[in-house]
Structures are given as C-alpha cells and as structure tokens.
Amino acid sequence: MDLAAKGRQEWRLDGGPYRSLYLRNGRDLAIIGNTGHDSCRTAAARDVSGHYVRGLGRVYAPRLTPARFLQDQSYFAVAQKKYIYIYDRDGVELHRLKSHIEPTRLEFLPYHWLLASVGNPGYLKYQDTSTDTLVAEHRTKAGACRTMTQNRHNAVIHLGHQNGVVSLWTPNLPHPAVQLLAHLGSVVGLSVDPSCGGRYMASSGADGGGAEFEWSAKGALAVATGGSVNVHTKPSIQTPFAPKLVPPLYLTHSIPHRPLTSVRFCPFQDILTVGHNTGLSSLLVPDSGEPNFDSDEVDPFKDKRRRQKREIRGLLDKIQPDMFALNQDFVVSLALPTRLMTAVQDKHDIPGGDKKKSQEEHEKKKMRGKGKSSKRCVNVGLWPELSSRYDPGIRATICGVLGHRRFSAWEVFLKGNWSTATFVTDYFPIMFFPVLYISVRLVMHERTVPPEEMDFVTNVNEFDAMTHDNPPPKNKTEAFWMWLM
C-alpha cells in the first residue's frame, strides 16, 4: 500500500477530456486528449522503479481517438479519422493500415499478435502485426460500432451495437459465436472480468444513462457515471439483484471535473486512473491489484535485452488464428482408433487399401441406364418395401412427387422464356395431385395400415428375386436392349 500511495498522481492537462491506457506490465501509460494528440508516458513515477514521469512522444490525431499498445511499449496503434497508424515511442509514424477504414475502436491480442478494429462501416477486421496481413474480415450487419473489448481468457472480441445487442466474435467464424440482447438502447460500455476465466461481463447502455467500466485483475469492478467513481468487489458484484437495486459499494469517490471519460486499473498496483475534463486522477483501491507477476509473461523491470528476447519468444509461441474457441478447456476431440498396419499371414490390413479395387469393379459393372431412379429402386428393393409399407394414398403421393421432380421446368418463369405449353405440361401434375390423391382414397376404400399390421412376409421371395444384379451383356445388341429397358 505504501508503494501504491507513492504511485498515486494527479495530471492537470489542458484540452480535455482525456482517456488513459496502461501497458500489460503497468509501467507505461498512454494518454489520449480531446485536442488531437496522443502521448505515451512512463507511469512508474516514484514507484518501485523510482523513475519520474517523462514524455515519450506525441501524435496528432482526431479527438479522443482510441489507441492500443502492441507487443510492448515500443509501438502503439492509433485509430485516426480514416486509417490506423502505427507509431513508435518517439511519435514517429512507422506504418499505415489502409484496409481499416474509419476505425472507432481497437483491441490488440498479445498471444495471437492480432490487431482487431471495428469502425463506422460495421466491419470487424483482424490484422496480423507480425506478418502485416489481413487475417479475417467480418461484416457485423449492425452498422457503426463504438464499443469493443476483449476477453483476456480466450481472446474473444465483444462488440456492443446500437440496437442493444452484444455479439462475440472470433476470426475463424464468419458469424457471431454468441449474440445477447443486453439493452433496449445502444451499448456504450463493455468490460470482461479477467479474474474468473472471462465468465462475467459488465455492460451499460444508453437506456440507463451510460457508464464506463473496468475490471481489475482480482475482480474489482470500477464504474464511472455522472461525477463519481464507484467500486464493487466480489462476491457482491456476482450476486443477482433486482434491476432497481444497486449492489453494495466497496468504495466511492466523487470527482468534480466532469465528464468522466475512462477508468483504468494499473496492473500489479492498487491504483485506479480516472480520465476527466481537466486531465487524469489516480485513486487508491486496496486489494484490487494482483501483487504477484510472472516475469516470463509481463515483467515491469525488464530492460532492452530482456524485451528483445521476450519479443522473439512471443513470435515463436504465437497462436494461430484458426485456434480460437469459446471454451478453452476443450482442446481437441480424440482420434478414431487406427486399423492394424502390420502384416498378418502376409496380408496388410491398411485402411482404404481395397478402395481402389472396389471402385474399379464398380466402374466395370456400371452401364448406361443403370443410374435411373426406377432402376435404383428396383435394385435396392425400394418398390417392394413401398408397396408393403404404405397405403395407396401415400403411394400416389410418392408418384406425384417423383413426377414433379422429373418434369419441372423452372426456366419458364425467367424473363423472355414464358411458354404456356411448357408450363401446362410440367406443372399440371402439381395441380392434378390433390385430385388424384382424393380419388384413390374414395375409389379403393382402403384405410391407412398401422405399423403393427404391416405385412413383411408375403411374397418376400419374389421381391428378393427382383434385386439380383443383371448379367453383363454379351454383345452390343444386348447392351442396347438393357439400356432401352
């Protein structure tokens, strides 16, 4: 707590309001202002490292443009009015992504090296920052989107739309993995809890006045609305409440500098940074930060050499875009048991080894006319089965359907192809089918045969005799006669 108290700061800046963004290790901070500049600063002022705040670069961009750090503090992406631009820590433009048009929100997936963006056209795009290739492009079909966040547990992108729907997206699916109607108005705030495996999400809509959310590493939820910042902790935040009841508060703090535009928890610290009209303010939230860190993942004390090694290791361990899944506990399905591959009595039981031979035998027996629907029904014994199972009305129905499939001519409905004779010839069976069905039921006076009374024994031998394979023709005359019959 003493170290967190030393790290608490107040920035008084002109040209607000301002937004803030922390790097994963909590050492660097990006400040986005309303007057059109983004600044990257070292946020470890008088903390465990003993450094003071110093400016690292300034980028001129539209008002309150979204920005995201990439793999480390050396590069960050800024969504300007027309395209996305990549800058280094000194504010020098390195790259311009022209495929991302009018972006409004950005997210960077560190384990996949993917930069995700969504904008006014309503397209969600994934850009691989290691190879500079556009991995996926999804059309959300919900118009302009101005709310986006990621689930740190499975790297799934959450989008909040103007119709109140929250959708979950992955680059390997062309459609939303999940859709949820969360609000009656447009969604203005989203945040996913990283402490519970990404199973809890907080959202705010225009129907409720709107609010800014942020979850800490230990599950504390900060809500900035109006002129105050409220912090809720577990288990009260995970307990169901009535819509008009507010969960119990853990901490509340009023800030007179309205509007409150952002709330960000500093990783590995009990510090909450709030962006407002006159700059940034830091609040102390006890027991909100994770005290332990993994130096192989994020290291606040890494130098240039260790940063370079971490970058190389991240490229080697990069997860491919086709491995996204909502349930990360499910790895893969089990493979089917393989057949015996060793020789038994000088014979190899290889899967698919006799497939080529069976195809050759099938091609030898295949002749013209054998593929007709009537021939197939006779060969597999379909007609006897239909005759014994179904009553005359159903048999008439099957004959009508087969006649329609055989004589339908949809070309007559195309422009310039109308033919009265063709229409009457091909579609008269459809109009005649009800008359045929009713007539058969009235004339034959047969009732529907129930399953327990169906006869599967009578004349079975005669039906089986019809299913034998015809002998191959001996000459061209027999072949022509078999094709004709």
Side-chain angles (χ1 to χ4, degrees):
M1 180 59 67
D2 182 61
L3 295 177
K6 293 181 179 179
R8 183 181 181 278
Q9 304 172 31
E10 291 286 339
W11 284 289
R12 297 302 180 188
L13 306 172
D14 297 331
Y18 283 87
R19 290 179 179 270
S20 61
L21 174 67
Y22 277 101
L23 191 61
R24 294 174 59 204
N25 59 8
R27 183 178 176 84
D28 293 272
L29 175 70
I31 303 174
I32 303 99
N34 192 39
T35 57
H37 71 273
D38 296 354
S39 179
C40 182
R41 298 174 179 267
T42 298
R46 298 190 62 83
D47 61 355
V48 292
S49 62
H51 294 98
Y52 290 90
V53 175
R54 56 187 178 90
L56 299 181
R58 175 169 289 189
V59 176
Y60 290 91
R63 49 188 300 175
L64 284 179
T65 56
R68 282 293 180 270
F69 285 105
L70 298 185
Q71 63 272 15
D72 52 30
Q73 74 277 8
S74 301
Y75 308 99
F76 62 96
V78 178
Q80 297 198 15
K81 183 177 182 181
K82 193 173 182 180
Y83 302 120
I84 296 179
Y85 291 82
I86 308 297
Y87 300 93
D88 63 358
R89 59 186 300 164
D90 295 326
V92 178
E93 179 184 335
L94 302 178
H95 192 45
R96 178 174 56 182
L97 305 178
K98 293 185 178 180
S99 58
H100 301 255
I101 302 175
E102 298 183 7
T104 56
R105 286 294 180 269
L106 296 178
E107 284 291 339
F108 181 73
L109 312 180
Y111 298 102
H112 304 77
W113 289 63
L114 293 179
L115 179 64
S117 72
V118 67
N120 292 326
Y123 284 87
L124 175 62
K125 301 182 180 181
Y126 291 86
Q127 185 85 19
D128 193 333
T129 57
S130 61
T131 59
D132 192 23
T133 57
L134 188 63
V135 174
E137 180 178 359
H138 302 323
R139 181 186 176 190
T140 61
K141 301 180 182 180
C145 180
R146 305 186 185 281
T147 306
M148 180 170 65
T149 187
Q150 66 166 307
N151 189 339
R152 301 178 189 177
H153 180 69
N154 53 15
V156 174
I157 295 296
H158 295 234
L159 297 180
H161 304 285
Q162 297 180 3
N163 55 0
V165 174
V166 177
S167 58
L168 279 62
W169 296 82
T170 58
N172 54 354
L173 288 179
H175 54 80
V178 177
Q179 282 186 319
L180 169 67
L181 181 58
H183 299 277
L184 299 179
S186 60
V187 182
V188 297
L190 280 177
S191 183
V192 180
D193 185 6
S195 64
C196 299
R199 292 190 295 269
Y200 290 91
M201 180 187 69
S203 64
S204 64
D207 52 350
E212 291 288 335
F213 292 103
E214 176 72 8
W215 292 87
S216 70
K218 298 186 69 174
L221 177 62
V223 183
T225 176
S228 63
V229 178
N230 301 325
V231 180
H232 307 269
T233 57
K234 297 185 297 185
S236 63
I237 194 60
Q238 299 176 358
T239 304
F241 287 90
K244 296 183 179 180
L245 295 179
V246 181
L249 289 176
Y250 174 73
L251 183 147
T252 182
H253 181 77
S254 60
I255 298 179
H257 311 291
R258 300 186 181 185
L260 306 183
T261 54
S262 69
V263 283
R264 293 291 183 269
F265 280 101
C266 180
F268 311 112
Q269 295 288 341
D270 296 337
I271 299 176
L272 175 64
T273 301
V274 182
H276 48 78
N277 192 38
T278 61
L280 301 175
S281 299
S282 297
L283 311 178
L284 296 181
V285 183
D287 199 27
S288 63
E290 176 63 41
N292 305 315
F293 61 88
D294 187 357
S295 59
D296 291 335
E297 292 293 332
V298 287
D299 187 2
F301 307 100
K302 63 181 179 181
D303 53 8
K304 182 178 180 180
R305 182 180 178 183
R306 296 168 66 180
R307 180 183 61 82
Q308 293 175 350
K309 290 183 178 180
R310 174 58 191 163
E311 184 175 352
I312 296 174
R313 183 182 301 176
L315 285 172
L316 295 176
D317 298 339
K318 183 178 71 172
I319 303 176
Q320 297 302 319
D322 55 353
M323 298 182 65
F324 277 77
L326 289 178
N327 186 9
Q328 292 294 321
D329 297 331
F330 177 78
V331 181
V332 69
S333 59
L334 297 177
L336 297 176
T338 59
R339 299 176 63 182
L340 186 62
M341 302 296 293
T342 58
V344 177
Q345 296 181 358
D346 298 333
K347 293 183 179 181
H348 292 271
D349 190 10
I350 302 176
D354 56 346
K355 185 176 181 180
K356 184 176 180 181
K357 182 178 179 181
S358 61
Q359 291 180 351
E360 293 177 354
E361 294 178 354
H362 177 70
E363 292 176 357
K364 289 181 180 179
K365 294 182 179 181
K366 185 177 180 181
M367 293 174 291
R368 295 189 62 182
K370 290 293 183 180
K372 291 183 178 180
S373 59
S374 58
K375 290 290 184 181
R376 290 198 300 268
C377 291
V378 172
N379 291 337
V380 301
L382 181 59
W383 292 122
E385 186 178 357
L386 294 177
S387 301
S388 61
R389 285 190 179 184
Y390 303 104
D391 62 300
I394 298 180
R395 291 199 295 268
T397 302
I398 297 175
C399 294
V401 173
L402 293 177
H404 168 61
R405 290 175 58 89
R406 183 180 180 88
F407 298 107
S408 62
W410 56 270
E411 294 87 354
V412 297
F413 298 103
L414 299 178
K415 186 176 181 181
N417 294 338
W418 174 257
S419 176
T420 304
T422 304
F423 175 79
V424 174
T425 303
D426 291 285
Y427 290 95
F428 180 75
I430 301 177
M431 298 178 288
F432 187 67
F433 166 72
V435 179
L436 179 64
Y437 179 80
I438 297 174
S439 301
V440 170
R441 298 304 297 267
L442 294 177
V443 173
M444 302 299 295
H445 299 286
E446 293 188 9
R447 64 184 182 87
T448 303
V449 181
E452 60 272 9
E453 298 181 6
M454 293 182 181
D455 186 8
F456 296 98
V457 179
T458 306
N459 299 328
V460 173
N461 296 331
E462 297 180 3
F463 297 146
D464 292 340
M466 299 173 61
T467 61
H468 72 280
D469 295 334
N470 296 327
K474 299 179 181 180
N475 49 43
K476 294 183 179 180
T477 304
E478 292 185 1
F480 174 76
W481 180 255
M482 295 182 65
W483 171 81
L484 185 61
M485 295 302 293

